[in-house]
Amino acid sequence: MLRLSIAAVLTLIAFASNSVLNRMAVAGGHISVGDFAIWRVSAGAVVLILISLILRKREVINILFSSPKLRVYGGICLATYMLGFSFAYLELDAGLGTLLLFGSVQLTMFGASILLREVLTMRRIIGSVIALGGLVWLLLPEGKITLPFNAVLSMIIAGIGWGGYSLLGRQAKDPIPETAMNFCVALIICVTALFLFPQPSPTPTDKTGLTLAIISGAITSGCGYSLWYTILPHLGAARAGLAQLSVPPLAIFGGILLLDEVLTLHLVLASLVVIGGVAYGLIEKKIN
C-alpha cells in the first residue's frame, strides 16, 4: 500500500510538471504548441523503447507488439488528449482550460466506474464534489468569460481521450513497453493530423524550447505515464479520476516555485479545498 501511494504521488507530480514545462516552453515563446507536442511524443517514444530494450532484451519485440488492438486504442486516446489539449490552448484561458480538462476527465472516469459496476461510495462522491468545487474556485477566471466553441470542444475531447487512456491502463501487464507503443501510435497520428491541419507557427523553436519538450516527453510524460500504467490496475476508475484532481494545484505551486508566479491567499485556500476533497474521497473510513 505504501509503495502504491508513493508511486501515485510521483505520478501526479510528473503530470503537474508537464503543465509547468509546457508553460515554460510555449508561454515563454521558445516553441510553438504543435512543435512542442511532436517533440514531446517523439522523445517519449524513443526513451521508452530504449528502456524496454535494456530491461527486456530479446523479449522486447514480442512485448511491444502484444495486444495490438489495445496499443492502437491507447495511441488514439493519447493522441486525442495531446492534440485536443494543444489546439484548445490556442484560444482558451489557461485556468478555464484546465478546469474543462479535468472536469471532463472526472466525468469520463466516474461514468466508466458506473458502467463497470464498481462500488461508488458516498464518501468518494462527496470528496469529488468538494474537489471539483475547489477547482472551480481555484481556476475560474474573474470577470468576463469567453468560451470559444471549438476550443471548448477540443478540451472536452482531450479530457475524454485522457480518461479513455487511463481506463485502458487498467489492463496493463508490462507498462513500459506498452506505453512505448502507445507513444509510437500517438506520434504517427499527431504528425498526420498536424500535416493535414497545419497551425500557424509564429514562434521559432530554440534550444530552450526543444530541451523542455524533450524533458517533458522523455521523463514527465514517458516515465510518468509508464508509472501511471503501473498503478492503474490497482485503482478503480473512480479513484483514479479523483486522484487526478490534485494535479492543477500541484501545477500552480510548481509555477510559483519555478516561474516566479505570485502566491496568494486565494490559491492557498482553494488548493486546500481541492486536496482536502481528494484526500477525503480516497482515504477509506475504518470500520471498528
Side-chain angles (χ1 to χ4, degrees):
M1 186 64 184
L2 180 59
R3 286 186 179 181
L4 179 62
S5 299
I6 293 172
V9 170
L10 290 174
T11 303
L12 295 173
I13 291 174
F15 291 170
S17 299
N18 268 329
S19 176
V20 175
L21 290 168
N22 197 331
R23 278 162 31 214
M24 289 173 69
V26 177
H30 300 290
I31 192 171
S32 69
V33 170
D35 288 342
F36 185 88
I38 293 297
W39 280 107
R40 178 184 175 189
V41 182
S42 302
V46 170
V47 167
L48 290 175
I49 288 175
L50 289 175
I51 293 174
S52 299
L53 287 169
I54 293 169
L55 295 179
R56 298 293 184 270
K57 297 180 181 177
R58 295 178 182 177
E59 303 171 13
V60 72
I61 299 299
N62 291 333
I63 296 172
L64 284 172
F65 291 97
S66 64
S67 305
K69 190 178 290 187
L70 281 177
R71 301 289 71 77
V72 170
Y73 291 156
I76 291 172
C77 287
L78 185 58
T80 299
Y81 158 67
M82 289 194 172
L83 290 172
F85 179 90
S86 298
F87 291 145
Y89 269 134
L90 293 173
E91 298 181 72
L92 271 181
D93 172 85
L96 183 58
T98 303
L99 183 61
L100 287 169
L101 174 67
F102 282 91
S104 56
V105 169
Q106 182 75 344
L107 290 174
T108 301
M109 301 293 283
F110 261 77
S113 70
I114 293 171
L115 292 175
L116 295 170
R117 297 183 179 180
E118 291 182 359
V119 177
L120 197 57
T121 64
M122 184 56 65
R123 188 181 184 90
R124 202 152 290 155
I125 294 171
I126 292 172
S128 298
V129 171
I130 293 171
L132 280 171
L135 272 187
V136 172
W137 184 23
L138 178 66
L139 299 172
L140 198 64
E142 296 180 0
K144 186 178 179 181
I145 299 173
T146 58
L147 294 170
F149 177 78
N150 289 338
V152 170
L153 182 61
S154 293
M155 192 59 88
I156 291 173
I157 291 173
I160 294 170
W162 181 254
Y165 186 76
S166 297
L167 291 168
L168 289 170
R170 297 176 57 203
Q171 302 177 52
K173 296 178 181 177
D174 208 331
I176 294 176
E178 289 178 18
T179 307
M181 283 308 296
N182 290 339
F183 268 73
C184 289
V185 174
L187 177 60
I188 294 170
I189 296 171
C190 288
V191 169
T192 303
L194 290 172
F195 176 77
L196 294 175
F197 306 100
Q199 298 297 308
S201 300
T203 306
T205 300
D206 60 24
K207 290 182 180 179
T208 300
L210 182 59
T211 301
L212 292 171
I214 291 173
I215 292 172
S216 176
I219 300 173
T220 56
S221 293
C223 297
Y225 293 3
S226 296
L227 193 56
W228 185 231
Y229 261 38
T230 301
I231 64 176
L232 277 170
H234 305 285
L235 298 175
R239 280 204 298 173
L242 178 57
Q244 291 180 87
L245 292 179
S246 61
V247 173
L250 291 174
I252 286 172
F253 282 94
I256 291 168
L257 290 173
L258 299 175
L259 303 177
D260 294 324
E261 294 177 351
V262 180
L263 177 65
T264 65
L265 181 61
H266 164 254
L267 289 179
V268 173
L269 294 177
S271 296
L272 286 175
V273 172
V274 176
I275 300 298
V278 171
Y280 179 83
L282 291 180
I283 297 173
E284 299 292 343
K285 186 177 180 181
K286 292 183 179 180
I287 301 174
N288 296 323

